[in-house]
Amino acid sequence: MISSVKLTASSFTTSEFLNRKCSLPSNKSKFNPLPIIQNAQQNFNSNKPLYISSIKTFSQVANDQKKRVTECKAYEADRSRPLEINIELPDEQARFESAQRIKIGMYFATWWALNVVFNIYNKKVLNAFPYPWLTSTLSLAAGSLMMLVSWATRIADPPKTDLDFWKTLFPVAVAHTIGHVAATVSMSKVAVSFTHIIKSGEPAFSVLVSRFLLGEMFPAPVYMSLLPIIGGCALAAVTELNFNMIGFMGAMISNMAFVFRNIFSKKGMKGKSVSGMNYYACLSMLSLLILTPFAIAVEGPKVWAAGWNKALAQIGPHFVWWVAAQSSFYHLYNQVSYMSLDQISPLTFSIGNTMKRISVIVSSIIIFHTPVQPVNALGAAIAILGTFLYSQAKQ
């Protein structure tokens, strides 16, 4: 009759184990004791604790007499092996991954929503106040002020930076400034949807710059994905009803500038421990210092004052709210995008950026009643599809 005994895990020394009487079965094919039990007197260290792994009790008939035989298996602490037991523990890894997906989803939804709101208010401001250099400067100034207040009130921990950090950040800030101003100039001349259609061609600039200036090679699918991007952007540009060369060139320059910004950022920020939120805050402040003198030289306070008074006369006090909203939302959507980049891979970020452009294009067409020809819409769809294929080919 087989019986089982459940014992609470315990430990005892080798000497205690050897002093106990324990009969080992003679049938080695049926009972396979651990190798380390053999020659116990020679191999066991009496100073090391032993742990019971299993105990089996059974009846054996020998010479017409019944005797109780107990099989003991033990192992030294430093020669331990996993116990053959099943313990159901909460799947902490699955819970963590689920929480991360929810967190990233919230980041993406917030990023897209803030970007849509920024583009709407930015276009409203530029329609009434066509001075993109000052508008760009106000966007950077609002973000810099928000972060300085956050650091001063300890809402956010200020970053620990040094001179080397600002040196490596400077070329990134130059490229960011050019890209920001060029995109704003573009939106002051053409529809928001057209600017973002052209800006969806940024991957093509990234591949070409990396290939011919940096000597980086890409697999064939990456190059093939550029064909729908370039073809779609070209088709959308040719069929744009309100085409403007300054607006077109502004979007193209913005693409090129942001490609260099990403390259400089990857090269210069390796090993730096500044969070995404603080990194973008420092980037905004340095870009503000770079942009302000150029904005004054290109447009100037007299032009700004005349334009401001005219906009107030036409729009009323709501114009002030439009300026404040576009300036604040510009910083917020960029800040959330950098925070997202801290949590996800560049591939996921690229896909999210593609979907963001779709939401901006569709919402701007609806809100501003932008006339779109079917061929123009087809070109936009092809360009965005190419961007998505590019992000898949890059992985």
Side-chain angles (χ1 to χ4, degrees):
M1 189 69 180
I2 299 174
S3 61
S4 60
V5 179
K6 296 183 179 179
L7 296 179
T8 303
S10 61
S11 64
F12 49 89
T13 62
T14 307
S15 59
E16 292 173 345
F17 173 76
L18 295 176
N19 290 333
R20 299 191 181 190
K21 295 181 179 180
C22 181
S23 300
L24 296 177
S26 59
N27 189 353
K28 293 184 180 180
S29 62
K30 184 175 181 181
F31 304 104
N32 185 22
L34 295 176
I36 59 174
I37 296 297
Q38 300 172 0
N39 301 324
Q41 294 289 351
Q42 298 178 1
N43 296 334
F44 275 108
N45 187 339
S46 61
N47 293 326
K48 296 180 180 178
L50 295 175
Y51 295 88
I52 293 176
S53 64
S54 64
I55 296 178
K56 295 180 181 178
T57 305
F58 56 93
S59 300
Q60 184 180 23
V61 180
N63 299 326
D64 297 330
Q65 293 182 355
K66 295 183 179 180
K67 64 178 181 178
R68 307 293 294 179
V69 179
T70 300
E71 179 189 9
C72 298
K73 293 182 179 181
Y75 55 88
E76 294 180 11
D78 62 341
R79 300 183 184 180
S80 61
R81 62 171 183 168
L83 295 177
E84 297 178 354
I85 57 177
N86 294 324
I87 301 176
E88 295 184 1
L89 297 175
D91 194 350
E92 297 294 338
Q93 183 65 23
R95 291 183 180 180
F96 175 77
E97 292 177 356
S98 178
Q100 280 295 103
R101 284 194 294 268
I102 295 174
K103 184 179 180 180
I104 293 171
M106 292 179 64
Y107 273 149
F108 272 23
T110 305
W111 174 21
W112 296 343
L114 292 173
N115 189 262
V116 169
V117 174
F118 158 72
N119 279 277
I120 291 171
Y121 279 110
N122 191 47
K123 185 59 177 176
K124 285 186 174 183
V125 170
L126 292 172
N127 286 341
F129 185 76
Y131 299 103
W133 288 80
L134 177 60
T135 304
S136 302
T137 305
L138 293 176
S139 301
L140 296 174
S144 300
L145 179 61
M146 291 168 63
M147 289 309 301
L148 288 174
V149 172
S150 299
W151 292 339
T153 57
R154 294 294 175 178
I155 296 177
D157 294 329
K160 296 179 180 179
T161 61
D162 51 21
L163 184 59
D164 290 336
F165 171 84
W166 293 102
K167 286 181 179 179
T168 56
L169 188 64
F170 182 77
V172 182
V174 171
H176 178 73
T177 303
I178 296 172
H180 176 41
V181 174
T184 308
V185 169
S186 176
M187 282 189 280
S188 69
K189 299 296 182 181
V190 296
V192 175
S193 57
F194 180 70
T195 298
H196 279 273
I197 291 171
I198 302 303
K199 283 179 66 64
S200 65
E202 184 177 325
F205 287 86
S206 178
V207 171
L208 294 176
V209 169
S210 299
R211 174 65 184 88
F212 293 106
L213 296 184
L214 303 179
E216 185 176 353
M217 299 297 294
F218 298 93
V222 173
Y223 293 109
M224 295 298 294
S225 68
L226 301 184
L227 297 178
I229 294 176
I230 297 173
C233 289
L235 182 61
V238 171
T239 58
E240 175 65 25
L241 294 176
N242 299 314
F243 180 82
N244 181 279
M245 182 56 70
I246 296 178
F248 175 75
M249 291 304 299
M252 297 289 282
I253 293 172
S254 178
N255 281 339
M256 182 68 73
F258 283 138
V259 167
F260 279 103
R261 180 192 67 177
N262 296 337
I263 293 174
F264 292 144
S265 181
K266 289 178 182 178
K267 285 189 173 183
M269 299 310 298
K270 289 182 179 179
K272 303 295 182 181
S273 59
V274 178
S275 66
M277 180 177 65
N278 285 335
Y279 176 76
Y280 182 71
C282 295
L283 182 62
S284 295
M285 294 175 187
L286 191 53
S287 295
L288 176 62
L289 295 177
I290 296 171
L291 177 58
T292 300
F294 288 96
I296 294 174
V298 173
E299 294 174 346
K302 291 183 178 180
V303 175
W304 295 338
W308 186 272
N309 292 331
K310 183 180 179 181
L312 283 177
Q314 292 178 348
I315 307 300
H318 291 294
F319 174 72
V320 179
W321 159 249
W322 292 356
V323 174
Q326 76 89 23
S327 301
S328 301
F329 282 112
Y330 173 78
H331 175 79
L332 291 174
Y333 101 76
N334 276 288
Q335 188 179 77
V336 173
S337 71
Y338 272 82
M339 292 169 64
S340 301
L341 192 57
D342 272 350
Q343 304 292 326
I344 59 179
S345 65
L347 172 63
T348 306
F349 183 84
S350 178
I351 296 174
N353 199 40
T354 303
M355 302 303 294
K356 177 205 74 174
R357 297 209 186 280
I358 296 175
S359 63
V360 171
I361 291 171
V362 173
S363 61
S364 64
I365 290 175
I366 295 173
I367 292 173
F368 294 107
H369 305 287
T370 306
V372 179
Q373 292 181 329
V375 179
N376 186 264
L378 177 62
I382 293 174
I384 292 172
L385 175 62
T387 305
F388 177 77
L389 293 176
Y390 166 82
S391 63
Q392 294 295 310
K394 282 276 289 183
Q395 63 179 331

